[in-house]
């Protein structure tokens, strides 16, 4: 498998993390976002919105990080560890995939885009949104080790990257002990690969 990605993209990292946790051999293909490599006609053929990541699984081309996670779990996780087979378990995981595409993307991920990539978002607005999310996550994680019960699932893979990097976007995690403990539990999983750090925001 080939993963077309950028090391500073949390969307890319969540797929890399899934591949590593599932012990799936893969090659990383760097996409130079600064030079616009993701907007070339060749790349648009792989990803119609011109975004990383893209996964090439022996000619099967997939875009959208959360869709790729579902594909990998459905095709390669015979034990259904990462995406439960029961309807309630599946729905619970899908709910957090929606959070990853919604509240996480428009909260901590957006805050980090300001400091890392110079995005023109309103810092106060996106940081406030991030704290609203983190309060909910901290409450959720007060009863469970992971976002869906006490076993790691795709929900945790999808949520980890941008939450772990929230301080880079000036989002302080100190008030959320359950979130910080959850991050540590994800980092302790066999096969974990870290998200590339940048010395910006509170992480500087």
């Amino acid at each position: 498998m080939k993963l077309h990605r950028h090391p500073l993209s949390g969307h890319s990292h969540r797929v890399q993390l899934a591949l590593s946790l599932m012990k799936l051999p893969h090659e990383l293909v760097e996409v130079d976002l600064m030079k616009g490599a993701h907007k070339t006609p060749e790349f648009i053929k792989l990803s119609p919105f011109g975004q990383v990541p893209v996964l090439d699984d022996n000619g099967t081309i997939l875009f959208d990080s959360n869709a790729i996670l579902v594909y990998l779990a459905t095709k390669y996780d015979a034990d259904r560890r990462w995406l439960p087979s029961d309807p309630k378990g599946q729905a619970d995981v899908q709910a957090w995939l929606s959070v990853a595409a919604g509240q996480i993307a428009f909260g901590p991920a957006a805050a980090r885009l300001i400091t890392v990539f110079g995005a023109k978002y309103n810092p106060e607005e996106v940081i406030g949104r991030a704290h609203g999310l983190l309060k909910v996550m901290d409450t959720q994680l007060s009863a469970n080790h992971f976002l869906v019960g006490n076993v790691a699932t795709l929900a945790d893979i999808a949520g980890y990257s941008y939450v772990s990097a929230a301080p880079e976007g000036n989002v302080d995690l100190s008030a959320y002990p359950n979130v910080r403990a959850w991050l540590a539990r994800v980092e302790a999983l066999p096969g974990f690969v870290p998200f590339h750090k940048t010395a910006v925001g509170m992480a500087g």
Side-chain angles (χ1 to χ4, degrees):
M1 280 184 273
K2 292 183 179 180
L3 174 61
H4 299 260
R5 61 107 195 211
H6 189 278
L8 296 180
S9 160
H11 290 77
S12 296
H13 177 258
R14 67 175 60 139
V15 176
Q16 182 187 0
L17 180 58
L19 288 165
S20 185
L21 291 173
M22 295 182 197
K23 299 179 174 58
L24 299 173
H26 58 279
E27 173 189 345
L28 299 177
V29 180
E30 301 298 324
V31 179
D32 193 338
L33 303 184
M34 308 311 171
K35 292 185 177 178
H38 56 309
K39 300 300 183 183
T40 63
E42 293 78 18
F43 194 81
I44 294 293
K45 290 178 183 176
L46 303 177
S47 174
F49 294 102
Q51 297 172 332
V52 291
V54 169
L55 185 71
D56 180 350
D57 182 12
N58 197 31
T60 298
I61 307 299
L62 302 139
F63 69 95
D64 183 86
S65 59
N66 288 343
I68 294 171
L69 295 187
V70 171
Y71 171 87
L72 292 173
T74 304
K75 183 170 183 180
Y76 292 107
D77 178 23
D79 296 331
R80 299 309 296 262
R81 183 286 177 65
W82 299 101
L83 181 61
S85 56
D86 66 287
K88 178 64 164 65
Q90 280 205 7
D92 288 343
V93 170
Q94 291 287 352
W96 283 101
L97 296 185
S98 294
V99 171
Q103 291 96 322
I104 290 177
F106 295 106
R112 181 177 171 275
L113 283 174
I114 296 172
T115 55
V116 175
F117 292 103
K120 304 301 182 186
Y121 296 116
N122 180 325
E124 187 175 318
E125 180 182 339
V126 295
I127 290 172
R129 198 176 291 143
H131 283 295
L133 161 75
L134 288 164
K135 287 174 185 174
V136 173
M137 291 184 71
D138 205 66
T139 299
Q140 179 79 8
L141 289 162
S142 67
N144 301 315
H145 286 156
F146 294 96
L147 290 173
V148 178
N150 290 315
V151 177
T153 65
L154 294 186
D156 305 287
I157 297 175
Y160 172 82
S161 307
Y162 286 120
V163 173
S164 72
E168 296 178 17
N170 290 310
V171 177
D172 189 354
L173 297 178
S174 63
Y176 310 106
N178 298 320
V179 170
R180 289 184 281 111
W182 165 72
L183 292 172
R185 282 191 285 271
V186 174
E187 290 159 6
L189 293 171
F192 172 81
V193 288
F195 187 22
H196 186 86
K197 302 293 185 190
T198 59
V200 296
M202 299 179 71

